[in-house]
Amino acid sequence: GAGVSQSPSNKVTEKGKDVELRCDPISGHTALYWYRQSLGQGLEFLIYFQGNSAPDKSGLPSDRFSAERTGGSVSTLTIQRTQQEDSAVYLCASGTPVGGSNEKLFFGSGTQLSVL
Amino acid sequence: GENVEQHPSTLSVQEGDSAVIKCTYSDSASNYFPWYKQELGKRPQLIIDIRSNVGEKKDQRIAVTLNKTAKHFSLHITETQPEDSAVYFCAARRYNTDKLIFGTGTRLQVFP
């Protein structure tokens, strides 16, 4: 595709259920990021990947959150035993490595997660 | 780790006036500072960026300045227009990493 694709666009779940969010980055982008945006709030860093490895997982809020990336492409963010405070928009972005000629990040349209 | 603070959280200006948004960062090893604009209901998009070897960069009505000594950088929008209304995010990245940390955002409203 031409841009970063995220699915689902909306997810409503019950407290305690697990959810899986998917991000399909722009082809050729080796860096992939997950951010969380609560209503009216900033972009909270969760994790980023360089290829399939995650050099920095420091932003993951708790051990209920995990992410993986396979084949240097698609990434999934999994939230186990969801809580109401997990409700937010989860944004994925992809880009080229540090020092590349264009370091712009391209964002997906996000997954709106609502935990009831 | 890096921490980015952004002020003000909201800013209202009259069309044609200038707007200034300021950010400070904590990690002196940061060397890349982009600004993203997020219109209502849309995804953030890069509008301008600056590297630590440059003090100022301009692109039409938008400019960014960087003070490495004080560890702060600012976005300047001149001759504001209603379509400039959006949330603006600053960000900082350390030189040896891809990790990009964003500020908390500034909601800019430009009134006709």
Side-chain angles (χ1 to χ4, degrees):
Chain A
V4 178
S5 178
Q6 289 188 249
S7 61
S9 55
N10 280 282
K11 176 71 177 178
V12 180
T13 190
E14 293 179 352
K15 178 182 172 181
K17 300 280 190 181
D18 298 352
V19 296
E20 194 172 275
L21 313 180
R22 176 188 168 106
C23 174
D24 200 340
I26 292 173
S27 177
H29 281 185
T30 59
L32 185 149
Y33 303 76
W34 284 98
Y35 290 92
R36 180 167 72 174
Q37 187 170 33
S38 301
L39 187 62
Q41 300 299 309
L43 296 168
E44 178 188 4
F45 171 82
L46 297 179
I47 187 171
Y48 88 95
F49 291 89
Q50 186 52 261
N52 290 336
S53 64
D56 194 319
K57 302 179 183 180
S58 62
L60 294 177
S62 73
D63 58 8
R64 296 187 294 105
F65 288 72
S66 63
E68 65 174 15
R69 188 180 185 195
T70 54
S73 182
V74 172
S75 174
T76 54
L77 176 69
T78 302
I79 309 174
Q80 295 178 309
R81 306 181 301 281
T82 52
Q83 302 294 313
Q84 289 183 331
E85 61 262 29
D86 299 335
S87 297
V89 175
Y90 289 81
L91 286 167
C92 174
S94 70
T96 50
V98 171
S101 59
N102 182 357
E103 294 173 87
K104 179 166 131 176
L105 288 193
F106 294 80
F107 281 84
S109 53
T111 293
Q112 172 76 63
L113 175 66
S114 300
V115 182
L116 304 180
Chain B
E2 176 69 277
N3 183 50
V4 179
E5 294 189 356
Q6 184 170 347
H7 300 280
S9 56
T10 60
L11 179 59
S12 297
V13 299
Q14 204 73 31
E15 182 178 0
D17 288 349
S18 295
V20 181
I21 302 170
K22 300 181 179 181
C23 289
T24 59
Y25 60 98
S26 60
D27 189 347
S28 57
S30 292
N31 70 342
Y32 175 66
F33 308 93
W35 287 86
Y36 282 77
K37 175 184 180 182
Q38 186 177 29
E39 296 178 13
L40 188 63
K42 298 192 175 180
R43 63 194 78 184
Q45 292 192 312
L46 179 72
I47 55 171
I48 195 168
D49 56 12
I50 191 168
R51 300 179 194 284
S52 58
N53 60 345
V54 175
E56 181 175 2
K57 183 176 179 180
K58 292 183 74 172
D59 183 2
Q60 299 181 4
R61 296 185 297 106
I62 292 172
V64 56
T65 58
L66 172 65
N67 182 327
K68 284 189 295 181
T69 303
K71 291 191 285 188
H72 67 67
F73 56 113
S74 300
L75 178 72
H76 305 253
I77 306 174
T78 58
E79 301 170 32
T80 53
Q81 301 167 3
E83 52 264 39
D84 294 330
S85 297
V87 178
Y88 291 81
F89 293 98
C90 63
R93 190 189 67 207
R94 184 183 174 89
Y95 77 98
N96 62 346
T97 177
D98 285 327
K99 181 178 179 180
L100 191 64
I101 298 299
F102 285 87
T104 48
T106 296
R107 182 173 299 279
L108 173 65
Q109 285 189 295
V110 181
F111 293 97

